[in-house]
Amino acid sequence: MKFLLIMHNNPQIWEALTDEERQKVMSGHGAFIETVTKSGEMISTAVLADPSQSAVVRVRGGVPAVTDGPYLEAKEYLGGYYMVECDSRERALELAALIPDAGVEGLGIEVRQIVFEDTADR
């Protein structure tokens, strides 16, 4: 079973952390990556740029309209993800609990099963 372990970020919460707390979270990702790589459960991971660097494209009447910034104004935004393959939802939840962001008050890891996937490698 494949799961997306989605890390949401909230700039207000992140900025309220001390430098030491932020460093602990960031270095904790290295340990997590090592754990899921050694277990063979890691598929991929990505960290996304700040939402201020994003754009939204909508096509209306056949004409693309591009808007700078995030899709929605929100306190939280998608910061990155891990894609893992494991035996069960329970194991995916265990892995999510190992991601350092899960230990930060006000943050959490969303766990969603992947029900369809396609690649360019067909």
Side-chain angles (χ1 to χ4, degrees):
M1 302 173 79
K2 292 182 181 178
F3 292 88
L4 203 58
L5 309 180
I6 304 166
M7 296 171 286
H8 295 275
N9 197 346
N10 181 321
Q12 291 176 330
I13 291 172
W14 186 251
E15 292 303 319
L17 298 176
T18 65
D19 288 341
E20 183 179 321
E21 290 169 328
R22 283 194 294 267
Q23 184 57 44
K24 184 177 177 183
V25 169
M26 292 174 7
S27 63
H29 282 277
F32 177 77
I33 289 170
E34 185 176 333
T35 296
V36 292
T37 299
K38 282 184 179 178
S39 70
E41 295 167 307
M42 171 71 96
I43 296 174
S44 66
T45 187
V47 176
L48 302 177
D50 188 84
S52 66
Q53 303 297 315
S54 67
V56 177
V57 178
R58 294 178 176 89
V59 178
R60 301 295 182 263
V63 179
V66 179
T67 306
D68 288 336
Y71 180 71
L72 296 172
E73 291 296 325
K75 291 180 184 176
E76 293 181 346
Y77 61 88
L78 177 61
Y81 66 85
Y82 289 99
M83 186 185 298
V84 297
E85 186 167 14
C86 50
D87 292 332
S88 66
R89 179 178 186 270
E90 290 73 23
R91 176 60 179 158
L93 296 172
E94 289 173 8
L95 292 175
L98 296 176
I99 297 172
D101 305 54
V104 176
E105 187 68 37
L107 300 182
I109 307 301
E110 182 179 350
V111 177
R112 294 185 62 185
Q113 186 175 357
I114 297 170
V115 296
F116 175 80
E117 179 184 24
D118 197 0
T119 67
D121 298 338
R122 298 190 245 169

